[in-house]
Amino acid sequence: MNRKTVTRLAFAAIVAPALAFGAPAAAMADSFFAAGMSKAGPHGASQSGVIAGATSGHGDHGDHEDGKGGKGGSFYIKKWNEAGPHGASEGGVVSAAG
């Protein structure tokens, strides 16, 4: 596989999860962040991405009589993949509070 193909595959591996997790999160979050990185070279390829968001819950008026909402929370997702001449690995972290 040539470098251009590997780079495109690595980029797609970052973009697809970012859209899957990020678009719904951006619609509900008061604060949102997403970033990704891909690289390929003669010794292998790697990619990583991070998505994080937080909401105060003040926009939800449905459950509380005072109209202040109260369903605030936060989330953090990080994923990485790498492959080289001696093998491949992947890992990830997911954290949420609310």
Side-chain angles (χ1 to χ4, degrees), residues 50-69:
V50 64
I51 300 170
T55 181
S56 65
H58 291 294
D60 180 13
H61 301 290
D63 291 341
H64 296 279
E65 292 177 13
D66 61 5
K68 293 185 180 176

Side-chain angles (χ1 to χ4, degrees), residues 8-40:
R8 285 182 179 171
L9 288 172
F11 179 75
I14 287 290
V15 172
L19 290 175
F21 290 114
M28 65 116 193
D30 293 336
S31 178
F32 177 75
F33 174 80
M37 183 275 308
S38 300
K39 68 179 184 175

Side-chain angles (χ1 to χ4, degrees), residues 49 76-81 90-94:
Y76 174 84
I77 301 168
K78 181 171 183 167
K79 182 151 176 69
W80 61 89
N81 299 304
E90 86 171 16
V93 176
V94 176

